[in-house]
PDB file of all heavy atoms in Angstrom:
ATOM      1  N   ASP A1605     -24.752-155.338 111.244  1.00 96.00           N
ATOM      2  CA  ASP A1605     -25.498-155.850 112.399  1.00 96.00           C
ATOM      3  C   ASP A1605     -24.645-155.742 113.631  1.00 96.00           C
ATOM      4  O   ASP A1605     -23.636-156.411 113.834  1.00 96.00           O
ATOM      5  CB  ASP A1605     -25.889-157.283 112.203  1.00 96.00           C
ATOM      6  CG  ASP A1605     -26.957-157.772 113.110  1.00 96.00           C
ATOM      7  OD1 ASP A1605     -26.892-157.427 114.333  1.00 96.00           O
ATOM      8  OD2 ASP A1605     -27.926-158.437 112.685  1.00 96.00           O
ATOM      9  N   GLU A1606     -25.053-154.889 114.582  1.00 95.00           N
ATOM     10  CA  GLU A1606     -24.186-154.586 115.750  1.00 95.00           C
ATOM     11  C   GLU A1606     -24.201-155.790 116.762  1.00 95.00           C
ATOM     12  O   GLU A1606     -23.404-155.748 117.746  1.00 95.00           O
ATOM     13  CB  GLU A1606     -24.773-153.328 116.503  1.00 95.00           C
ATOM     14  CG  GLU A1606     -24.614-152.057 115.612  1.00 95.00           C
ATOM     15  CD  GLU A1606     -25.087-150.839 116.329  1.00 95.00           C
ATOM     16  OE1 GLU A1606     -25.690-150.963 117.450  1.00 95.00           O
ATOM     17  OE2 GLU A1606     -24.850-149.736 115.811  1.00 95.00           O
ATOM     18  N   ARG A1607     -25.049-156.766 116.534  1.00 96.00           N
ATOM     19  CA  ARG A1607     -25.028-157.914 117.498  1.00 96.00           C
ATOM     20  C   ARG A1607     -23.870-158.869 117.200  1.00 96.00           C
ATOM     21  O   ARG A1607     -23.524-159.664 118.028  1.00 96.00           O
ATOM     22  CB  ARG A1607     -26.331-158.708 117.311  1.00 96.00           C
ATOM     23  CG  ARG A1607     -27.587-157.940 117.685  1.00 96.00           C
ATOM     24  CD  ARG A1607     -28.821-158.742 117.331  1.00 96.00           C
ATOM     25  NE  ARG A1607     -29.002-158.928 115.907  1.00 96.00           N
ATOM     26  CZ  ARG A1607     -30.031-159.523 115.326  1.00 96.00           C
ATOM     27  NH1 ARG A1607     -30.997-159.963 116.072  1.00 96.00           N
ATOM     28  NH2 ARG A1607     -30.080-159.603 113.966  1.00 96.00           N
ATOM     29  N   ILE A1608     -23.192-158.698 116.054  1.00 98.00           N
ATOM     30  CA  ILE A1608     -22.109-159.554 115.679  1.00 98.00           C
ATOM     31  C   ILE A1608     -20.805-159.008 116.081  1.00 98.00           C
ATOM     32  O   ILE A1608     -20.455-157.805 115.870  1.00 98.00           O
ATOM     33  CB  ILE A1608     -22.128-159.744 114.122  1.00 98.00           C
ATOM     34  CG1 ILE A1608     -23.455-160.305 113.645  1.00 98.00           C
ATOM     35  CG2 ILE A1608     -20.977-160.628 113.638  1.00 98.00           C
ATOM     36  CD1 ILE A1608     -23.689-160.192 112.186  1.00 98.00           C
ATOM     37  N   HIS A1609     -19.977-159.778 116.798  1.00 97.00           N
ATOM     38  CA  HIS A1609     -18.710-159.360 117.368  1.00 97.00           C
ATOM     39  C   HIS A1609     -17.506-159.515 116.389  1.00 97.00           C
ATOM     40  O   HIS A1609     -16.583-158.751 116.387  1.00 97.00           O
ATOM     41  CB  HIS A1609     -18.465-159.992 118.683  1.00 97.00           C
ATOM     42  CG  HIS A1609     -19.333-159.499 119.812  1.00 97.00           C
ATOM     43  ND1 HIS A1609     -20.734-159.710 119.785  1.00 97.00           N
ATOM     44  CD2 HIS A1609     -19.100-158.846 120.931  1.00 97.00           C
ATOM     45  CE1 HIS A1609     -21.222-159.147 120.863  1.00 97.00           C
ATOM     46  NE2 HIS A1609     -20.284-158.599 121.562  1.00 97.00           N
ATOM     47  N   LYS A1610     -17.520-160.696 115.736  1.00 98.00           N
ATOM     48  CA  LYS A1610     -16.435-161.007 114.776  1.00 98.00           C
ATOM     49  C   LYS A1610     -17.043-161.860 113.666  1.00 98.00           C
ATOM     50  O   LYS A1610     -18.012-162.525 113.850  1.00 98.00           O
ATOM     51  CB  LYS A1610     -15.295-161.858 115.462  1.00 98.00           C
ATOM     52  CG  LYS A1610     -14.540-161.107 116.552  1.00 98.00           C
ATOM     53  CD  LYS A1610     -13.387-162.024 117.113  1.00 98.00           C
ATOM     54  CE  LYS A1610     -12.565-161.306 118.212  1.00 98.00           C
ATOM     55  NZ  LYS A1610     -11.451-162.129 118.700  1.00 98.00           N
ATOM     56  N   ILE A1611     -16.354-161.756 112.518  1.00 98.00           N
ATOM     57  CA  ILE A1611     -16.768-162.634 111.366  1.00 98.00           C
ATOM     58  C   ILE A1611     -15.567-163.374 110.837  1.00 98.00           C
ATOM     59  O   ILE A1611     -14.430-162.916 110.894  1.00 98.00           O
ATOM     60  CB  ILE A1611     -17.444-161.852 110.211  1.00 98.00           C
ATOM     61  CG1 ILE A1611     -16.543-160.773 109.613  1.00 98.00           C
ATOM     62  CG2 ILE A1611     -18.696-161.240 110.732  1.00 98.00           C
ATOM     63  CD1 ILE A1611     -17.078-160.120 108.381  1.00 98.00           C
ATOM     64  N   ILE A1612     -15.807-164.584 110.334  1.00 99.00           N
ATOM     65  CA  ILE A1612     -14.746-165.360 109.664  1.00 99.00           C
ATOM     66  C   ILE A1612     -15.326-165.884 108.361  1.00 99.00           C
ATOM     67  O   ILE A1612     -16.507-166.398 108.292  1.00 99.00           O
ATOM     68  CB  ILE A1612     -14.408-166.604 110.506  1.00 99.00           C
ATOM     69  CG1 ILE A1612     -13.907-166.183 111.910  1.00 99.00           C
ATOM     70  CG2 ILE A1612     -13.357-167.436 109.789  1.00 99.00           C
ATOM     71  CD1 ILE A1612     -13.657-167.369 112.836  1.00 99.00           C
ATOM     72  N   THR A1613     -14.612-165.718 107.244  1.00 98.00           N
ATOM     73  CA  THR A1613     -15.070-166.227 105.977  1.00 98.00           C
ATOM     74  C   THR A1613     -14.164-167.306 105.510  1.00 98.00           C
ATOM     75  O   THR A1613     -12.940-167.199 105.576  1.00 98.00           O
ATOM     76  CB  THR A1613     -15.159-165.079 104.919  1.00 98.00           C
ATOM     77  OG1 THR A1613     -13.957-164.394 104.884  1.00 98.00           O
ATOM     78  CG2 THR A1613     -16.290-164.153 105.261  1.00 98.00           C
ATOM     79  N   TRP A1614     -14.737-168.450 105.070  1.00 98.00           N
ATOM     80  CA  TRP A1614     -13.988-169.582 104.519  1.00 98.00           C
ATOM     81  C   TRP A1614     -14.305-169.661 103.018  1.00 98.00           C
ATOM     82  O   TRP A1614     -15.449-169.850 102.635  1.00 98.00           O
ATOM     83  CB  TRP A1614     -14.403-170.899 105.202  1.00 98.00           C
ATOM     84  CG  TRP A1614     -14.171-170.958 106.675  1.00 98.00           C
ATOM     85  CD1 TRP A1614     -13.430-170.178 107.427  1.00 98.00           C
ATOM     86  CD2 TRP A1614     -14.666-171.970 107.570  1.00 98.00           C
ATOM     87  NE1 TRP A1614     -13.400-170.565 108.743  1.00 98.00           N
ATOM     88  CE2 TRP A1614     -14.153-171.701 108.834  1.00 98.00           C
ATOM     89  CE3 TRP A1614     -15.502-173.108 107.353  1.00 98.00           C
ATOM     90  CZ2 TRP A1614     -14.494-172.457 109.950  1.00 98.00           C
ATOM     91  CZ3 TRP A1614     -15.798-173.866 108.506  1.00 98.00           C
ATOM     92  CH2 TRP A1614     -15.324-173.577 109.765  1.00 98.00           C
ATOM     93  N   SER A1615     -13.252-169.468 102.159  1.00 98.00           N
ATOM     94  CA  SER A1615     -13.426-169.686 100.688  1.00 98.00           C
ATOM     95  C   SER A1615     -14.538-168.716 100.197  1.00 98.00           C
ATOM     96  O   SER A1615     -15.349-169.150  99.243  1.00 98.00           O
ATOM     97  CB  SER A1615     -13.768-171.059 100.355  1.00 98.00           C
ATOM     98  OG  SER A1615     -12.984-172.019 101.026  1.00 98.00           O
ATOM     99  N   ALA A1616     -14.673-167.622 100.673  1.00 98.00           N
ATOM    100  CA  ALA A1616     -15.769-166.644 100.352  1.00 98.00           C
ATOM    101  C   ALA A1616     -15.692-166.148  98.914  1.00 98.00           C
ATOM    102  O   ALA A1616     -14.592-165.881  98.361  1.00 98.00           O
ATOM    103  CB  ALA A1616     -15.904-165.479 101.279  1.00 98.00           C
ATOM    104  N   ILE A1617     -16.856-165.957  98.292  1.00 98.00           N
ATOM    105  CA  ILE A1617     -16.932-165.268  96.992  1.00 98.00           C
ATOM    106  C   ILE A1617     -16.863-163.769  97.266  1.00 98.00           C
ATOM    107  O   ILE A1617     -17.138-163.303  98.362  1.00 98.00           O
ATOM    108  CB  ILE A1617     -18.123-165.704  96.178  1.00 98.00           C
ATOM    109  CG1 ILE A1617     -19.436-165.211  96.973  1.00 98.00           C
ATOM    110  CG2 ILE A1617     -18.134-167.123  95.908  1.00 98.00           C
ATOM    111  CD1 ILE A1617     -20.730-165.394  96.145  1.00 98.00           C
ATOM    112  N   ALA A1618     -16.605-162.996  96.220  1.00 98.00           N
ATOM    113  CA  ALA A1618     -16.588-161.518  96.355  1.00 98.00           C
ATOM    114  C   ALA A1618     -17.607-160.850  95.385  1.00 98.00           C
ATOM    115  O   ALA A1618     -17.657-159.618  95.322  1.00 98.00           O
ATOM    116  CB  ALA A1618     -15.214-160.935  96.014  1.00 98.00           C
ATOM    117  N   ASP A1619     -18.399-161.681  94.725  1.00 98.00           N
ATOM    118  CA  ASP A1619     -19.384-161.227  93.758  1.00 98.00           C
ATOM    119  C   ASP A1619     -20.480-162.206  93.538  1.00 98.00           C
ATOM    120  O   ASP A1619     -20.118-163.346  93.126  1.00 98.00           O
ATOM    121  CB  ASP A1619     -18.712-160.831  92.470  1.00 98.00           C
ATOM    122  CG  ASP A1619     -19.728-160.248  91.364  1.00 98.00           C
ATOM    123  OD1 ASP A1619     -20.927-160.229  91.603  1.00 98.00           O
ATOM    124  OD2 ASP A1619     -19.251-159.802  90.359  1.00 98.00           O
ATOM    125  N   PHE A1620     -21.685-161.988  93.923  1.00 97.00           N
ATOM    126  CA  PHE A1620     -22.737-162.993  93.735  1.00 97.00           C
ATOM    127  C   PHE A1620     -22.904-163.455  92.334  1.00 97.00           C
ATOM    128  O   PHE A1620     -23.177-164.591  92.032  1.00 97.00           O
ATOM    129  CB  PHE A1620     -24.122-162.424  94.262  1.00 97.00           C
ATOM    130  CG  PHE A1620     -24.195-162.366  95.762  1.00 97.00           C
ATOM    131  CD1 PHE A1620     -24.155-161.132  96.396  1.00 97.00           C
ATOM    132  CD2 PHE A1620     -24.250-163.531  96.566  1.00 97.00           C
ATOM    133  CE1 PHE A1620     -24.238-161.063  97.788  1.00 97.00           C
ATOM    134  CE2 PHE A1620     -24.347-163.426  97.951  1.00 97.00           C
ATOM    135  CZ  PHE A1620     -24.314-162.244  98.579  1.00 97.00           C
ATOM    136  N   SER A1621     -22.632-162.519  91.392  1.00 96.00           N
ATOM    137  CA  SER A1621     -22.822-162.891  89.956  1.00 96.00           C
ATOM    138  C   SER A1621     -21.716-163.777  89.402  1.00 96.00           C
ATOM    139  O   SER A1621     -21.817-164.246  88.267  1.00 96.00           O
ATOM    140  CB  SER A1621     -22.973-161.612  89.060  1.00 96.00           C
ATOM    141  OG  SER A1621     -21.776-160.911  89.071  1.00 96.00           O
ATOM    142  N   SER A1622     -20.709-164.080  90.288  1.00 94.00           N
ATOM    143  CA  SER A1622     -19.637-165.007  89.877  1.00 94.00           C
ATOM    144  C   SER A1622     -20.154-166.406  89.827  1.00 94.00           C
ATOM    145  O   SER A1622     -19.484-167.343  89.287  1.00 94.00           O
ATOM    146  CB  SER A1622     -18.447-164.915  90.796  1.00 94.00           C
ATOM    147  OG  SER A1622     -18.846-165.347  92.084  1.00 94.00           O
ATOM    148  N   LEU A1623     -21.325-166.653  90.354  1.00 90.00           N
ATOM    149  CA  LEU A1623     -21.940-167.977  90.386  1.00 90.00           C
ATOM    150  C   LEU A1623     -22.622-168.343  89.067  1.00 90.00           C
ATOM    151  O   LEU A1623     -23.128-169.499  88.930  1.00 90.00           O
ATOM    152  CB  LEU A1623     -22.937-168.073  91.548  1.00 90.00           C
ATOM    153  CG  LEU A1623     -22.322-167.892  92.937  1.00 90.00           C
ATOM    154  CD1 LEU A1623     -23.351-167.760  94.006  1.00 90.00           C
ATOM    155  CD2 LEU A1623     -21.356-169.068  93.272  1.00 90.00           C
ATOM    156  N   TRP A1624     -22.734-167.431  88.126  1.00 92.00           N
ATOM    157  CA  TRP A1624     -23.246-167.791  86.781  1.00 92.00           C
ATOM    158  C   TRP A1624     -22.401-167.015  85.804  1.00 92.00           C
ATOM    159  O   TRP A1624     -21.589-166.152  86.106  1.00 92.00           O
ATOM    160  CB  TRP A1624     -24.696-167.433  86.700  1.00 92.00           C
ATOM    161  CG  TRP A1624     -25.058-165.951  86.892  1.00 92.00           C
ATOM    162  CD1 TRP A1624     -24.955-164.957  86.037  1.00 92.00           C
ATOM    163  CD2 TRP A1624     -25.514-165.385  88.128  1.00 92.00           C
ATOM    164  NE1 TRP A1624     -25.365-163.747  86.590  1.00 92.00           N
ATOM    165  CE2 TRP A1624     -25.762-163.969  87.899  1.00 92.00           C
ATOM    166  CE3 TRP A1624     -25.854-165.867  89.424  1.00 92.00           C
ATOM    167  CZ2 TRP A1624     -26.196-163.129  88.848  1.00 92.00           C
ATOM    168  CZ3 TRP A1624     -26.266-164.972  90.402  1.00 92.00           C
ATOM    169  CH2 TRP A1624     -26.434-163.625  90.090  1.00 92.00           C
ATOM    170  N   LYS A1625     -22.590-167.358  84.531  1.00 90.00           N
ATOM    171  CA  LYS A1625     -21.861-166.749  83.472  1.00 90.00           C
ATOM    172  C   LYS A1625     -22.660-165.511  82.917  1.00 90.00           C
ATOM    173  O   LYS A1625     -23.878-165.627  82.672  1.00 90.00           O
ATOM    174  CB  LYS A1625     -21.576-167.709  82.295  1.00 90.00           C
ATOM    175  CG  LYS A1625     -20.663-168.834  82.705  1.00 90.00           C
ATOM    176  CD  LYS A1625     -20.405-169.795  81.505  1.00 90.00           C
ATOM    177  CE  LYS A1625     -19.429-170.869  81.854  1.00 90.00           C
ATOM    178  NZ  LYS A1625     -19.876-171.799  82.916  1.00 90.00           N
ATOM    179  N   LYS A1626     -21.953-164.420  82.630  1.00 92.00           N
ATOM    180  CA  LYS A1626     -22.612-163.220  82.110  1.00 92.00           C
ATOM    181  C   LYS A1626     -23.394-163.482  80.889  1.00 92.00           C
ATOM    182  O   LYS A1626     -24.551-162.979  80.667  1.00 92.00           O
ATOM    183  CB  LYS A1626     -21.537-162.135  81.835  1.00 92.00           C
ATOM    184  CG  LYS A1626     -22.091-160.779  81.392  1.00 92.00           C
ATOM    185  CD  LYS A1626     -22.785-160.070  82.476  1.00 92.00           C
ATOM    186  CE  LYS A1626     -23.266-158.685  82.036  1.00 92.00           C
ATOM    187  NZ  LYS A1626     -24.105-158.009  83.062  1.00 92.00           N
TER     188      LYS A1626
END
Side-chain angles (χ1 to χ4, degrees):
D1605 197 317
E1606 294 182 353
R1607 297 172 296 183
I1608 302 166
H1609 288 64
K1610 294 183 180 183
I1611 61 172
I1612 303 174
T1613 52
W1614 298 347
S1615 315
I1617 63 171
D1619 181 353
F1620 287 107
S1621 67
S1622 66
L1623 297 169
W1624 60 83
K1625 295 181 174 65
K1626 182 72 176 174

